[in-house]
Amino acid sequence: MPDEIGLFEAIDTQRGLRQFKPDPVPDEMITRLLRAAIKAPSGGVRQGWSFIVIRDEETRRKIGDLYRTGSRFDIRDDMSTQQRRVYRRAQHLEDHMEDVPVFILACIEGGPGGPVSGASIYPAVQNILLAARGLGLASVLTTRQSRFEPEIKDILGIPENVTTAAILPIGFPAEGVRYGPTRRRPLEEVAFDGHWGNTWKTEAE
Ligand SMILES: Cc1cc2nc3c(=O)[nH]c(=O)nc-3n(C[C@H](O)[C@H](O)[C@H](O)COP(=O)(O)O)c2cc1C
């Protein structure tokens, strides 16, 4: 296992990495990600989550086939440069799904879109992303498996009352792909002090 990094370094530099080395990921690392996942909160501590680790080549190929035949990202000129870059990378990932050494498919009991179910699985998903950052593994949150929900459930034998929430591709980052600071809307724009519109004042950083 690599040396541990600080919590805030992990939070500040966890960005979507979508290109992977083909090398396998040691089981102990995957177990560490899963242990991080199950520490997350869930409504009423129900923990209706399940995580399927997918490494088998045939299964990855079947999932890759689904993505290749599915709808493509709509990348338009009126989008920001950042958005277009993200969508291009996301499309590249979907065109090469079976080359990813590991997927973790996060599932939650209950129907899709319920008010509680998403809030009870995405904290666990975020824990996996942060733990991957901590271990130097590449990953990104993806949700477009929902286009193939019945097919994926069939391939993996997922029970009827369980919904797929996210697929996290996992692997060592490809050459030249690395974690780093993320770009976000500034705090002054999105954080208020006591009342909508009262900008939260930050100390000079
Ligand atoms: C609900 C949700 C769905 C997402 N779906 C995808 C996806 O299908 N494919 C993908 O590559 N990234 C997906 N992302 C990742 C976002 O595109 C990512 O957060 C965005 O690229 C920000 O970039 P950064 O993580 O590099 O800062 C998703 C993120 C969220 C929160």
Side-chain angles (χ1 to χ4, degrees):
M1 294 270 187
D3 290 342
E4 297 201 354
I5 65 167
L7 173 63
F8 288 102
E9 185 185 351
I11 290 172
D12 290 344
T13 62
Q14 192 289 315
R15 68 182 177 203
L17 301 186
R18 301 175 177 85
Q19 287 169 282
F20 306 85
K21 286 185 179 159
D23 313 22
V25 179
D27 282 2
E28 60 172 334
M29 284 190 165
I30 297 173
T31 303
R32 191 69 196 89
L33 301 181
L34 298 170
R35 286 198 195 288
I38 63 168
K39 291 296 182 185
S42 58
V45 207
R46 273 195 293 278
Q47 304 170 72
W49 47 46
S50 322
F51 305 91
I52 307 183
V53 179
I54 302 163
R55 291 173 293 186
D56 168 63
E57 208 175 312
E58 174 71 7
T59 310
R60 286 186 289 135
R61 193 189 53 71
K62 283 183 188 164
I63 292 174
D65 286 346
L66 289 174
Y67 274 76
R68 255 189 311 279
T69 55
S71 56
R72 300 181 68 77
F73 281 90
D74 180 23
I75 306 173
R76 299 187 316 272
D77 289 344
D78 61 346
M79 291 172 168
S80 69
T81 314
Q82 185 187 21
Q83 219 173 10
R84 269 183 286 147
R85 191 175 53 234
V86 163
Y87 280 179
R88 267 200 303 273
R89 287 178 181 162
Q91 186 63 61
H92 182 273
L93 170 62
E94 293 197 0
D95 290 340
H96 298 87
M97 286 294 273
E98 67 265 35
D99 299 337
V100 181
V102 183
F103 296 122
I104 296 179
L105 172 60
C107 303
I108 184 78
E109 275 173 14
V116 179
S117 60
S120 287
I121 187 64
Y122 292 112
V125 168
Q126 177 72 1
N127 274 8
I128 296 177
L129 292 173
L130 287 173
R133 168 68 191 96
L135 295 176
L137 294 168
S139 193
V140 63
L141 168 55
T142 81
T143 55
R144 288 183 15 119
Q145 85 295 334
S146 60
R147 291 170 296 164
F148 322 114
E149 179 84 3
E151 292 88 343
I152 288 190
K153 285 178 70 164
D154 188 47
I155 292 169
L156 299 168
I158 298 172
E160 193 129 319
N161 65 329
V162 170
T163 304
T164 70
I167 287 190
L168 303 179
I170 308 275
F172 291 98
E175 218 53 59
V177 171
R178 49 185 69 84
Y179 282 112
T182 43
R183 278 206 297 147
R184 297 290 187 259
R185 291 172 64 194
L187 200 53
E188 292 74 14
E189 218 174 279
V190 299
F192 302 137
D193 188 356
H195 189 280
W196 187 273
N198 286 347
T199 303
W200 175 260
K201 303 269 185 332
T202 55
E203 305 285 323
E205 289 182 11

